[in-house]
């Protein structure tokens, strides 16, 4: 469901617009912190507003998210942001107005 944290947290509500209309996500993400031995000191956390509606509220993430495998952490530093289309074959999948603040 749109607004989920895969296999961890369903959204509080589903404010998705109908197919063909733009949806807006505002995501506040806090990086995980790792101990010197690579274990998790603090998990990553995420708060998500979907079309202006709170759908995830300071949710702890249990590791790299996947729809098919157990989530787990591997110690890391800064990493890239990846956008996805979920295998949607309809063209085009579009993104616009992406802002990243540190």
């Amino acid at each position: 469901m749109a607004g989920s944290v895969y296999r961890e947290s369903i959204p509080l509500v589903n404010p998705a617009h109908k197919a063909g209309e733009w949806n807006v996500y505002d995501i506040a993400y806090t990086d995980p912190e790792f101990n010197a031995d690579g274990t998790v000191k603090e998990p990553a956390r995420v708060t998500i507003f979907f079309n202006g509606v709170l759908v995830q509220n300071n949710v702890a993430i249990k590791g790299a998210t996947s729809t098919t495998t157990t989530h787990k952490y591997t110690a890391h530093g800064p990493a890239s942001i990846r956008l996805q289309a979920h295998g949607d074959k309809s063209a085009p999948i579009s993104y616009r107005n992406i802002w990243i603040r540190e």
Side-chain angles (χ1 to χ4, degrees), residues 40-57:
V40 178
K41 180 177 181 180
E42 290 290 331
R45 295 189 146 315
V46 66
T47 296
I48 302 172
F49 287 88
F50 181 14
N51 292 327
V53 178
L54 180 68
V55 294
Q56 298 289 342
N57 189 11

Side-chain angles (χ1 to χ4, degrees), residues 5-8 61 63-72 84:
V5 176
Y6 294 142
R7 299 180 61 181
E8 293 188 23
I61 298 174
T65 57
S66 166
T67 57
T68 59
T69 60
T70 301
H71 301 175
K72 66 179 182 177
Q84 58 189 24

Side-chain angles (χ1 to χ4, degrees), residues 17-47:
H17 292 163
K18 65 182 178 182
E21 293 183 7
W22 284 102
N23 287 286
V24 176
Y25 281 89
D26 292 299
I27 302 169
Y29 176 81
T30 304
D31 293 335
E33 294 181 27
F34 298 98
N35 294 309
D37 65 0
T39 58
V40 178
K41 180 177 181 180
E42 290 290 331
R45 295 189 146 315
V46 66
T47 296

